[in-house]
């Protein structure tokens, strides 16, 4: 939604404000990217906006409508290159040109092959000065739209792996106790991650062992109005019909490869959607599953376990981003589970290495975020 017009003074960083607006709508715009826009005249903000849910106005149009006739001769700050083609909405480039905007600052170009610099070129051809943002703002804007970028260029959702572990690398004790490894601040941040993704993915073992809700919830532990799609990799259709997730708001999709007709019918009766996926080595073909999710306009998937599923995704080079929460506690135990299991790798030389790594303190825990370097994992 938009905010009231303001007079923040000449020291305001207008692109930072546009980025803040874009962050405010993450999770509500898919399959469109979250975008923020600020329209400025002199040192006064005359309009601002963010992308509305699918079918609604784009950020630039929201800001232009708020500004009205004052947009003539103004400067627009926008986090993503304005689109130049007719889709669900009319081209933003045409709206900007028609409004008489004099200058446009862009944080990052649109990776969509239908745009990819053509929006910028169209603005320049109309006599509008176009300025690209500073590198730090470009990096921030690029990360904001990374799920959309990945999906629009590969037809696959961005696969984000998230797990919490102890200082000695365990996700539970030897008895299976895992509540709670991390503190309240980290758990609250996970709900923000869930809200930002289109789907949450778990394996059947995690679904049975933990019986999770897999919902995005607020500070009062209430489910939020919008819920990601819950997806269970369940080759034989063994999800218990009493599973908590089947009673939660939102939809649950059970991906099966060789489930019996009786089990599939029972799952459907229990409010689940059953998706038939080809088998690969006796299990659900994960690449095929992701392809089918991509066709459903699922642009991002948050994988929350378990260790076998994560191992398979890494082995197939399907992991695009990793969130690791590390709690300052030690539990030990040879049989205590770890985040990534499976056969493992034969040597450190073939280990998955993260790039563009950053870390931050989240309460008493540490969060490490990075992007796997592809094609390094080799099965042991």
């Amino acid at each position: 939604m938009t905010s009231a017009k303001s007079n923040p003074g000449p020291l305001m960083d207008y692109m930072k404000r546009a980025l803040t607006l874009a962050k405010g709508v993450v999770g509500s715009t898919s399959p469109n990217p979250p975008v923020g826009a600020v329209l400025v005249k002199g040192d006064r903000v005359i309009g601002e906006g963010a992308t509305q849910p699918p079918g609604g106005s784009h950020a630039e149009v929201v800001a232009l409508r708020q500004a009205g006739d004052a947009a003539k001769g103004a400067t627009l700050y926008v986090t993503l290159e304005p689109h130049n083609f007719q889709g669900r909405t009319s081209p933003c480039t045409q709206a900007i040109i028609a409004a008489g905007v004099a200058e446009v600052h862009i944080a990052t170009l649109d990776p969509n092959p239908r745009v990819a610099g053509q929006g910028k070129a169209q603005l320049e051809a109309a006599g509008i000065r176009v300025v690209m943002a500073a590198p730090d703002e470009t990096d921030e804007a690029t990360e904001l739209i990374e799920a959309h970028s990945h999906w629009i260029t590969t037809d696959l959702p961005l696969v984000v792996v998230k797990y919490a572990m102890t200082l000695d690398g365990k996700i539970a004790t030897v008895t299976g106790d895992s509540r709670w490894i991390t503190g309240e601040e980290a758990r609250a941040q996970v709900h923000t991650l869930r809200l930002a993704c289109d789907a949450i993915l778990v394996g059947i073992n995690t679904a049975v062992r933990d019986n999770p809700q897999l919902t995005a919830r607020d500070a009062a532990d209430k489910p939020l109005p919008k819920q990601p799609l819950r997806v269970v990799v369940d080759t034989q259709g063994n999800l218990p019909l009493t599973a908590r997730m089947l009673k939660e708001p939102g939809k649950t999709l059970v991906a099966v490869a060789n489930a019996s007709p009786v089990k599939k019918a029972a799952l459907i009766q229990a409010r689940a959607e059953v998706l038939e996926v080809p088998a690969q080595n006796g299990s659900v073909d994960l690449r095929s599953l992701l392809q089918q999710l991509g066709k459903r306009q699922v642009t991002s998937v948050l994988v929350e376990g378990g260790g076998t599923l994560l191992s398979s995704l890494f082995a197939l080079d399907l992991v695009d981003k990793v969130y690791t929460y590390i709690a300052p506690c030690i539990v030990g135990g040879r049989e205590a589970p770890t985040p990534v299991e499976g056969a493992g790798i034969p040597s450190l030389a073939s280990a998955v290495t993260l790039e563009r790594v950053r870390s931050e303190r989240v309460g008493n825990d540490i969060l490490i975020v990075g992007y796997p370097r592809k094609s390094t994992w080799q099965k042991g």
Side-chain angles (χ1 to χ4, degrees), residues 26-47:
V26 168
S28 68
T29 66
S30 184
N32 295 328
V35 179
V38 176
L39 201 57
V40 180
K41 204 167 191 178
D43 62 356
R44 181 177 176 80
V45 173
I46 58 172

Side-chain angles (χ1 to χ4, degrees), residues 303-343:
V303 185
E304 297 206 26
T308 301
L309 176 60
L310 265 61
S311 174
S312 298
L313 288 167
F314 276 116
L316 292 168
D317 260 352
L318 292 174
V319 178
D320 302 301
K321 191 173 187 178
V322 176
Y323 282 78
T324 301
Y325 291 89
I326 304 174
C329 63
I330 297 171
V331 301
R334 284 192 190 90
E335 304 303 319
T338 57
V340 183
E341 296 180 344

Side-chain angles (χ1 to χ4, degrees), residues 139-224:
D139 291 344
E140 194 171 352
T142 299
E143 185 171 4
L144 269 174
I145 64 163
E146 64 186 0
H148 172 79
S149 299
H150 186 81
W151 174 72
I152 203 70
T153 55
T154 67
D155 294 324
L156 295 173
L158 183 83
V159 175
V160 181
V161 162
K162 185 277 302 178
Y163 55 85
M165 68 180 190
T166 62
L167 204 56
D168 56 337
K170 308 295 185 181
I171 61 172
T173 67
V174 70
T175 64
D177 183 18
S178 61
R179 296 190 178 184
W180 296 102
I181 287 176
T182 53
E184 290 185 7
E185 294 91 339
R187 297 200 301 273
Q189 193 174 85
V190 168
H191 286 292
T192 301
L193 275 177
R194 287 180 175 179
L195 183 63
C197 290
D198 292 337
I200 302 174
L201 180 68
V202 297
I204 184 59
N205 292 335
T206 296
V208 171
R209 181 185 65 242
D210 297 343
N211 195 17
Q213 293 167 282
L214 297 185
T215 52
R217 301 187 292 278
D218 62 18
D221 204 36
K222 301 291 185 183
L224 295 168

